[in-house]
Amino acid sequence: MQIRNDWTKEEISEIYNTPLLELIYKAATVHREYHATGEVQVCTLLSIKTGGCPEDCAYCPQAARYNTGVEVQALMQKEEVLAYAQKAKDAGSTRFCMGAAWREVRNNKDFDRVLEMVQGVNEMGMEVCCTMGMLSEEQAEKLYNAGLYAYNHNVDTSEDHYGDIITTRTYNDRLRTLGNVRKAGIGVCSGGIIGIGETHKDRIGMLYTLATLPSHPSSVPINALVRVKGTPLENNTKVDIWDMIRMIATARLIMPMAMVRLSAGRAEMNISEQALCFMAGANSIFSGDKLLTTPNPAFDEDKSMFQLLGLKPREPFKDKKVSVN
Ligand code: SF4
């Protein structure tokens, strides 16, 4: 399978609609061509500034306008964050991602503190990632100079469905930030969520956006909606595991080099279901008992799952020489 950025929606649709076992087999084959078998990247995500966000993302418990019981917390102190990163490193994480519930990064003291955190985590020998909303070219450069390895900014869904989920910014705003990240030389982490009222066509549209970016994201998180009480999507239907597997396998086939991350929703999956996701090409997880504000499997649970399935954590900085960004 070649690395291509000129996929058409029809081609992606054909892959997506392949009979499931055949799709998993094909994805597993391509996975082995591009990645070491049994290697899974273990990332930890910490919410460094929680809640009170002015945006209206319909799935998000941190949006100030929804009554979800999330307690607003100002930006954490650098020392607290570095202590948490050390704990994650000791537990086997190689990538540490810091999330701030901001619409966009502002040039102020908080940003200066984040730059110090980035530098601190980088010096600990972990890949450091942030997810903090929209970013200018200049801010991206500052983050790069502080040692940022990747920046997460999900496209969330297809361009067509985007307006049904978020009205406070546009799909183009999203793509602009991804461009700024790419220009600065930071790894792009971008994926989306299923279970947010999208159609199969929207899922294909989202994968099309990601696979036709000027270069593929180095990480592609595939999230299943966590239905949080108080958000507009609280009563949505639970995502079917087979839909997750189909998304993961399609992402693997059209973006062979990317780390495909089994992200939100993993807490609701049993080990057999997760094993099928790994088989279909997922090779990255978030570990640690929380995923920003929602539950996630803890380090120990994942350790025993790795033992059972014969998986091993991926070393940090492994893709530095072969980065597709
Ligand atoms: S997803 Fe991010 S931008 Fe959207 S409401 Fe939540 S914290 Fe704000």
Side-chain angles (χ1 to χ4, degrees), residues 53-57 59-63 100-103 133 169 174:
C53 181
E55 300 287 90
D56 70 348
C57 310
Y59 51 79
C60 183
Q62 301 201 64
W102 288 327
R103 169 182 160 78
R169 55 170 191 265
R174 226 56 195 158

Side-chain angles (χ1 to χ4, degrees), residues 112-174:
D112 294 342
R113 199 191 296 168
V114 170
L115 292 171
E116 286 175 22
M117 293 174 189
V118 168
Q119 197 179 343
V121 177
N122 181 52
E123 283 166 2
M124 288 166 53
M126 294 179 92
E127 294 176 13
V128 52
C129 173
C130 284
T131 181
M132 308 186 293
M134 291 182 274
L135 207 61
S136 70
E137 220 176 309
E138 191 205 357
Q139 290 162 339
E141 242 170 66
K142 282 190 179 164
L143 284 162
Y144 176 80
N145 290 333
L148 193 76
Y149 195 73
Y151 192 82
N152 166 267
H153 203 62
N154 292 331
V155 294
D156 288 337
T157 189
S158 69
E159 186 166 9
D160 291 344
H161 189 48
Y162 199 76
D164 298 330
I165 297 298
I166 298 140
T167 65
T168 47
R169 55 170 191 265
T170 66
Y171 210 64
N172 269 337
D173 289 334
R174 226 56 195 158

Side-chain angles (χ1 to χ4, degrees), residues 161-228:
H161 189 48
Y162 199 76
D164 298 330
I165 297 298
I166 298 140
T167 65
T168 47
R169 55 170 191 265
T170 66
Y171 210 64
N172 269 337
D173 289 334
R174 226 56 195 158
L175 296 177
R176 195 171 313 114
T177 291
L178 291 181
N180 292 339
V181 171
R182 201 166 38 241
K183 255 185 252 163
I186 298 169
V188 168
C189 170
S190 189
I193 313 176
I194 63 169
I196 56 175
E198 77 288 350
T199 60
H200 290 289
K201 203 171 152 212
D202 290 316
R203 292 178 185 172
I204 291 160
M206 176 185 101
L207 291 169
Y208 168 80
T209 297
L210 296 169
T212 56
L213 287 171
S215 52
H216 294 162
S218 48
S219 320
V220 178
I222 304 288
N223 297 281
L225 175 72
V226 177
R227 298 160 298 164
V228 179

